[in-house]
Amino acid sequence: RRVAPGARLRLDHEALVLRRLKSPWAAPLLAVGAQGELFYLVMEHVAATPLDERLRQGPLSLRDSLRLAVCLLMALRDVHEQGVLHRDLKPANIIVTGESRLERATLIDFGLSHSDWLDLAIRDHSVGTARYLSPEQAGLLEQKPDCRSDLYSAGAVLFECLAGRPPFEAESVGELLWQHMAVRPPSVRTLRPEVPRALDDAVTRLLRKDPRDRYQ
């Protein structure tokens, strides 16, 4: 099938981002090419499990949650320093290694990422997964998404790792987006009392509605 122009622009951009991205916490690109109408990206195989599959077994231990947080935030540090926003941070786009103990987490899938290299025709399109989407990325705030939008999504992922459920749940996308905009997420400690208060406070700050109130 012929790839739609918008999809091809995104694939070209993802290849460019991955080719330039230097981070041990993101899956590297090995090759990119086209054969007729077939466009392909070749990436290193990592024997790992998607985080969303891991979470179907229940929340992570405190130790594993902290290990995942360290890996994820170091990945975002590297990505942001190179002028890239991931824009689709969610458990399905994080792969983890380790059986009884989580050893490593790797950030994958830059198909919806944003950078100055992205074609102007699709640069301002709203993208992402509603369950993990910051208010400004969803277009609910008159503020351009930036690195702090990825940090909000990271907060939503860490909340789910600790609590065993996302910070907001609803039956429709509209209801989810309204909650991201107007509803204060519950404290992780109300759902899991053994979580240290400092960790609960950190997740709460990541999930602040106003980007200025998050970590900068």
mmCIF file of all heavy atoms in Angstrom, residues 160-191:
data_model
loop_
_atom_site.group_PDB
_atom_site.id
_atom_site.type_symbol
_atom_site.label_atom_id
_atom_site.label_comp_id
_atom_site.label_asym_id
_atom_site.label_seq_id
_atom_site.Cartn_x
_atom_site.Cartn_y
_atom_site.Cartn_z
ATOM 1 N N GLU A 160 1.361 5.193 37.405
ATOM 2 C CA GLU A 160 0.809 3.869 37.110
ATOM 3 C C GLU A 160 1.732 2.757 37.603
ATOM 4 O O GLU A 160 1.254 1.717 38.083
ATOM 5 C CB GLU A 160 0.577 3.745 35.606
ATOM 6 C CG GLU A 160 -0.129 2.462 35.205
ATOM 7 C CD GLU A 160 -0.593 2.456 33.762
ATOM 8 O OE1 GLU A 160 -0.504 3.507 33.100
ATOM 9 O OE2 GLU A 160 -1.044 1.387 33.295
ATOM 10 N N CYS A 161 3.041 2.964 37.491
ATOM 11 C CA CYS A 161 3.979 1.948 37.988
ATOM 12 C C CYS A 161 3.815 1.733 39.493
ATOM 13 O O CYS A 161 3.904 0.600 39.982
ATOM 14 C CB CYS A 161 5.411 2.377 37.695
ATOM 15 S SG CYS A 161 5.868 2.308 35.954
ATOM 16 N N LEU A 162 3.566 2.806 40.224
ATOM 17 C CA LEU A 162 3.468 2.728 41.672
ATOM 18 C C LEU A 162 2.078 2.310 42.148
ATOM 19 O O LEU A 162 1.943 1.523 43.095
ATOM 20 C CB LEU A 162 3.820 4.088 42.288
ATOM 21 C CG LEU A 162 5.287 4.507 42.174
ATOM 22 C CD1 LEU A 162 5.429 6.001 42.430
ATOM 23 C CD2 LEU A 162 6.131 3.714 43.166
ATOM 24 N N ALA A 163 1.041 2.838 41.479
ATOM 25 C CA ALA A 163 -0.326 2.635 41.956
ATOM 26 C C ALA A 163 -1.047 1.482 41.273
ATOM 27 O O ALA A 163 -2.085 1.020 41.747
ATOM 28 C CB ALA A 163 -1.137 3.923 41.776
ATOM 29 N N GLY A 164 -0.521 1.031 40.127
ATOM 30 C CA GLY A 164 -1.184 -0.045 39.408
ATOM 31 C C GLY A 164 -2.331 0.422 38.539
ATOM 32 O O GLY A 164 -3.060 -0.397 37.968
ATOM 33 N N ARG A 165 -2.494 1.736 38.411
ATOM 34 C CA ARG A 165 -3.526 2.322 37.553
ATOM 35 C C ARG A 165 -3.080 3.720 37.166
ATOM 36 O O ARG A 165 -2.289 4.345 37.879
ATOM 37 C CB ARG A 165 -4.873 2.398 38.279
ATOM 38 C CG ARG A 165 -4.798 2.956 39.698
ATOM 39 C CD ARG A 165 -6.041 3.713 40.111
ATOM 40 N NE ARG A 165 -6.100 5.033 39.515
ATOM 41 C CZ ARG A 165 -6.931 5.993 39.953
ATOM 42 N NH1 ARG A 165 -7.763 5.759 40.963
ATOM 43 N NH2 ARG A 165 -6.945 7.184 39.383
ATOM 44 N N PRO A 166 -3.554 4.226 36.019
ATOM 45 C CA PRO A 166 -3.180 5.588 35.609
ATOM 46 C C PRO A 166 -3.776 6.616 36.572
ATOM 47 O O PRO A 166 -4.715 6.314 37.330
ATOM 48 C CB PRO A 166 -3.797 5.721 34.215
ATOM 49 C CG PRO A 166 -4.138 4.332 33.787
ATOM 50 C CD PRO A 166 -4.415 3.566 35.031
ATOM 51 N N PRO A 167 -3.267 7.850 36.557
ATOM 52 C CA PRO A 167 -3.823 8.878 37.445
ATOM 53 C C PRO A 167 -5.261 9.234 37.116
ATOM 54 O O PRO A 167 -6.022 9.631 37.996
ATOM 55 C CB PRO A 167 -2.886 10.072 37.234
ATOM 56 C CG PRO A 167 -2.195 9.812 35.941
ATOM 57 C CD PRO A 167 -2.095 8.336 35.815
ATOM 58 N N PHE A 168 -5.655 9.085 35.844
ATOM 59 C CA PHE A 168 -7.023 9.382 35.433
ATOM 60 C C PHE A 168 -7.561 8.236 34.593
ATOM 61 O O PHE A 168 -6.855 7.687 33.747
ATOM 62 C CB PHE A 168 -7.080 10.682 34.622
ATOM 63 C CG PHE A 168 -6.548 11.879 35.364
ATOM 64 C CD1 PHE A 168 -5.397 12.524 34.930
ATOM 65 C CD2 PHE A 168 -7.193 12.350 36.494
ATOM 66 C CE1 PHE A 168 -4.898 13.611 35.610
ATOM 67 C CE2 PHE A 168 -6.702 13.450 37.190
ATOM 68 C CZ PHE A 168 -5.551 14.078 36.753
ATOM 69 N N GLU A 169 -8.814 7.899 34.814
ATOM 70 C CA GLU A 169 -9.490 6.850 34.045
ATOM 71 C C GLU A 169 -10.878 7.344 33.666
ATOM 72 O O GLU A 169 -11.573 7.974 34.464
ATOM 73 C CB GLU A 169 -9.591 5.566 34.862
ATOM 74 C CG GLU A 169 -8.244 4.932 35.196
ATOM 75 C CD GLU A 169 -8.371 3.654 36.001
ATOM 76 O OE1 GLU A 169 -8.914 3.718 37.117
ATOM 77 O OE2 GLU A 169 -7.947 2.598 35.511
ATOM 78 N N ALA A 170 -11.286 7.071 32.425
ATOM 79 C CA ALA A 170 -12.599 7.491 31.941
ATOM 80 C C ALA A 170 -12.972 6.636 30.751
ATOM 81 O O ALA A 170 -12.136 5.961 30.157
ATOM 82 C CB ALA A 170 -12.586 8.975 31.555
ATOM 83 N N GLU A 171 -14.261 6.668 30.389
ATOM 84 C CA GLU A 171 -14.749 5.862 29.276
ATOM 85 C C GLU A 171 -14.660 6.582 27.936
ATOM 86 O O GLU A 171 -14.896 5.973 26.903
ATOM 87 C CB GLU A 171 -16.202 5.442 29.547
ATOM 88 C CG GLU A 171 -16.339 4.501 30.749
ATOM 89 C CD GLU A 171 -17.765 4.016 30.943
ATOM 90 O OE1 GLU A 171 -18.633 4.430 30.138
ATOM 91 O OE2 GLU A 171 -18.005 3.237 31.877
ATOM 92 N N SER A 172 -14.327 7.868 27.957
ATOM 93 C CA SER A 172 -14.217 8.606 26.694
ATOM 94 C C SER A 172 -12.969 9.470 26.722
ATOM 95 O O SER A 172 -12.474 9.863 27.790
ATOM 96 C CB SER A 172 -15.446 9.500 26.478
ATOM 97 O OG SER A 172 -15.454 10.576 27.400
ATOM 98 N N VAL A 173 -12.462 9.774 25.531
ATOM 99 C CA VAL A 173 -11.291 10.639 25.420
ATOM 100 C C VAL A 173 -11.601 12.027 25.961
ATOM 101 O O VAL A 173 -10.782 12.626 26.660
ATOM 102 C CB VAL A 173 -10.834 10.722 23.947
ATOM 103 C CG1 VAL A 173 -9.741 11.774 23.786
ATOM 104 C CG2 VAL A 173 -10.318 9.370 23.469
ATOM 105 N N GLY A 174 -12.803 12.538 25.660
ATOM 106 C CA GLY A 174 -13.172 13.859 26.142
ATOM 107 C C GLY A 174 -13.154 13.954 27.652
ATOM 108 O O GLY A 174 -12.668 14.944 28.224
ATOM 109 N N GLU A 175 -13.662 12.932 28.334
ATOM 110 C CA GLU A 175 -13.660 12.922 29.791
ATOM 111 C C GLU A 175 -12.233 12.840 30.332
ATOM 112 O O GLU A 175 -11.885 13.506 31.310
ATOM 113 C CB GLU A 175 -14.478 11.722 30.294
ATOM 114 C CG GLU A 175 -14.437 11.493 31.805
ATOM 115 C CD GLU A 175 -15.118 12.589 32.614
ATOM 116 O OE1 GLU A 175 -15.876 13.384 32.023
ATOM 117 O OE2 GLU A 175 -14.884 12.645 33.840
ATOM 118 N N LEU A 176 -11.406 12.043 29.681
ATOM 119 C CA LEU A 176 -10.002 11.950 30.104
ATOM 120 C C LEU A 176 -9.306 13.301 29.994
ATOM 121 O O LEU A 176 -8.597 13.727 30.909
ATOM 122 C CB LEU A 176 -9.273 10.928 29.235
ATOM 123 C CG LEU A 176 -9.111 9.505 29.758
ATOM 124 C CD1 LEU A 176 -8.383 8.658 28.721
ATOM 125 C CD2 LEU A 176 -8.367 9.467 31.081
ATOM 126 N N LEU A 177 -9.493 13.976 28.868
ATOM 127 C CA LEU A 177 -8.844 15.261 28.664
ATOM 128 C C LEU A 177 -9.342 16.290 29.668
ATOM 129 O O LEU A 177 -8.560 17.115 30.168
ATOM 130 C CB LEU A 177 -9.075 15.749 27.231
ATOM 131 C CG LEU A 177 -8.443 14.888 26.132
ATOM 132 C CD1 LEU A 177 -8.736 15.489 24.764
ATOM 133 C CD2 LEU A 177 -6.951 14.724 26.332
ATOM 134 N N TRP A 178 -10.634 16.253 29.993
ATOM 135 C CA TRP A 178 -11.173 17.181 31.000
ATOM 136 C C TRP A 178 -10.520 16.932 32.360
ATOM 137 O O TRP A 178 -10.179 17.876 33.077
ATOM 138 C CB TRP A 178 -12.690 17.013 31.100
ATOM 139 C CG TRP A 178 -13.269 17.914 32.157
ATOM 140 C CD1 TRP A 178 -13.561 19.242 32.050
ATOM 141 C CD2 TRP A 178 -13.605 17.537 33.501
ATOM 142 N NE1 TRP A 178 -14.057 19.725 33.246
ATOM 143 C CE2 TRP A 178 -14.094 18.700 34.147
ATOM 144 C CE3 TRP A 178 -13.548 16.332 34.213
ATOM 145 C CZ2 TRP A 178 -14.509 18.689 35.477
ATOM 146 C CZ3 TRP A 178 -13.964 16.323 35.534
ATOM 147 C CH2 TRP A 178 -14.440 17.488 36.155
ATOM 148 N N GLN A 179 -10.311 15.666 32.712
ATOM 149 C CA GLN A 179 -9.662 15.357 33.979
ATOM 150 C C GLN A 179 -8.223 15.860 34.006
ATOM 151 O O GLN A 179 -7.765 16.409 35.013
ATOM 152 C CB GLN A 179 -9.700 13.851 34.237
ATOM 153 C CG GLN A 179 -11.092 13.308 34.529
ATOM 154 C CD GLN A 179 -11.068 11.838 34.880
ATOM 155 O OE1 GLN A 179 -10.160 11.346 35.532
ATOM 156 N NE2 GLN A 179 -12.087 11.112 34.439
ATOM 157 N N HIS A 180 -7.504 15.683 32.905
ATOM 158 C CA HIS A 180 -6.139 16.202 32.838
ATOM 159 C C HIS A 180 -6.124 17.717 33.042
ATOM 160 O O HIS A 180 -5.185 18.260 33.628
ATOM 161 C CB HIS A 180 -5.506 15.874 31.484
ATOM 162 C CG HIS A 180 -4.994 14.471 31.368
ATOM 163 N ND1 HIS A 180 -3.948 13.991 32.133
ATOM 164 C CD2 HIS A 180 -5.372 13.436 30.574
ATOM 165 C CE1 HIS A 180 -3.710 12.727 31.813
ATOM 166 N NE2 HIS A 180 -4.556 12.364 30.876
ATOM 167 N N MET A 181 -7.166 18.383 32.587
ATOM 168 C CA MET A 181 -7.215 19.833 32.665
ATOM 169 C C MET A 181 -7.700 20.335 34.026
ATOM 170 O O MET A 181 -7.178 21.320 34.561
ATOM 171 C CB MET A 181 -8.160 20.373 31.569
ATOM 172 C CG MET A 181 -8.309 21.884 31.559
ATOM 173 S SD MET A 181 -6.756 22.717 31.168
ATOM 174 C CE MET A 181 -7.192 24.415 31.529
ATOM 175 N N ALA A 182 -8.674 19.643 34.621
ATOM 176 C CA ALA A 182 -9.388 20.239 35.751
ATOM 177 C C ALA A 182 -9.378 19.432 37.045
ATOM 178 O O ALA A 182 -9.720 19.964 38.096
ATOM 179 C CB ALA A 182 -10.855 20.489 35.333
ATOM 180 N N VAL A 183 -9.012 18.163 36.998
ATOM 181 C CA VAL A 183 -9.120 17.307 38.184
ATOM 182 C C VAL A 183 -7.737 17.045 38.763
ATOM 183 O O VAL A 183 -6.805 16.677 38.034
ATOM 184 C CB VAL A 183 -9.808 15.962 37.826
ATOM 185 C CG1 VAL A 183 -9.857 15.051 39.052
ATOM 186 C CG2 VAL A 183 -11.210 16.226 37.298
ATOM 187 N N ARG A 184 -7.631 17.204 40.061
ATOM 188 C CA ARG A 184 -6.358 16.929 40.728
ATOM 189 C C ARG A 184 -6.183 15.415 40.858
ATOM 190 O O ARG A 184 -7.081 14.724 41.340
ATOM 191 C CB ARG A 184 -6.346 17.571 42.108
ATOM 192 C CG ARG A 184 -5.029 17.417 42.855
ATOM 193 C CD ARG A 184 -5.076 18.184 44.161
ATOM 194 N NE ARG A 184 -3.821 18.061 44.891
ATOM 195 C CZ ARG A 184 -3.578 18.681 46.038
ATOM 196 N NH1 ARG A 184 -4.502 19.466 46.579
ATOM 197 N NH2 ARG A 184 -2.416 18.523 46.634
ATOM 198 N N PRO A 185 -5.040 14.873 40.440
ATOM 199 C CA PRO A 185 -4.858 13.419 40.564
ATOM 200 C C PRO A 185 -4.772 13.004 42.027
ATOM 201 O O PRO A 185 -4.332 13.793 42.876
ATOM 202 C CB PRO A 185 -3.519 13.169 39.839
ATOM 203 C CG PRO A 185 -2.791 14.463 39.934
ATOM 204 C CD PRO A 185 -3.848 15.532 39.863
ATOM 205 N N PRO A 186 -5.178 11.796 42.345
ATOM 206 C CA PRO A 186 -5.070 11.344 43.738
ATOM 207 C C PRO A 186 -3.604 11.206 44.139
ATOM 208 O O PRO A 186 -2.721 11.042 43.286
ATOM 209 C CB PRO A 186 -5.768 9.979 43.718
ATOM 210 C CG PRO A 186 -5.650 9.511 42.300
ATOM 211 C CD PRO A 186 -5.722 10.741 41.466
ATOM 212 N N SER A 187 -3.357 11.283 45.417
ATOM 213 C CA SER A 187 -2.016 11.010 45.921
ATOM 214 C C SER A 187 -1.719 9.524 45.759
ATOM 215 O O SER A 187 -2.575 8.673 45.996
ATOM 216 C CB SER A 187 -1.940 11.398 47.405
ATOM 217 O OG SER A 187 -0.815 10.818 48.015
ATOM 218 N N VAL A 188 -0.505 9.205 45.314
ATOM 219 C CA VAL A 188 -0.129 7.796 45.196
ATOM 220 C C VAL A 188 -0.251 7.101 46.551
ATOM 221 O O VAL A 188 -0.647 5.941 46.636
ATOM 222 C CB VAL A 188 1.304 7.663 44.644
ATOM 223 C CG1 VAL A 188 1.735 6.198 44.611
ATOM 224 C CG2 VAL A 188 1.406 8.259 43.248
ATOM 225 N N ARG A 189 0.037 7.819 47.624
ATOM 226 C CA ARG A 189 0.016 7.228 48.973
ATOM 227 C C ARG A 189 -1.391 6.834 49.416
ATOM 228 O O ARG A 189 -1.548 5.970 50.279
ATOM 229 C CB ARG A 189 0.637 8.195 49.972
ATOM 230 C CG ARG A 189 2.152 8.217 49.913
ATOM 231 C CD ARG A 189 2.737 9.379 50.720
ATOM 232 N NE ARG A 189 2.324 9.359 52.110
ATOM 233 C CZ ARG A 189 2.931 8.676 53.079
ATOM 234 N NH1 ARG A 189 3.992 7.932 52.777
ATOM 235 N NH2 ARG A 189 2.510 8.736 54.318
ATOM 236 N N THR A 190 -2.423 7.461 48.830
ATOM 237 C CA THR A 190 -3.786 7.046 49.168
ATOM 238 C C THR A 190 -4.110 5.686 48.570
ATOM 239 O O THR A 190 -4.994 4.985 49.062
ATOM 240 C CB THR A 190 -4.819 8.075 48.671
ATOM 241 O OG1 THR A 190 -4.769 8.147 47.236
ATOM 242 C CG2 THR A 190 -4.547 9.451 49.261
ATOM 243 N N LEU A 191 -3.399 5.324 47.509
ATOM 244 C CA LEU A 191 -3.611 4.038 46.854
ATOM 245 C C LEU A 191 -2.588 2.997 47.285
ATOM 246 O O LEU A 191 -2.853 1.791 47.202
ATOM 247 C CB LEU A 191 -3.544 4.223 45.331
ATOM 248 C CG LEU A 191 -4.548 5.226 44.744
ATOM 249 C CD1 LEU A 191 -4.244 5.482 43.272
ATOM 250 C CD2 LEU A 191 -5.971 4.712 44.894
#
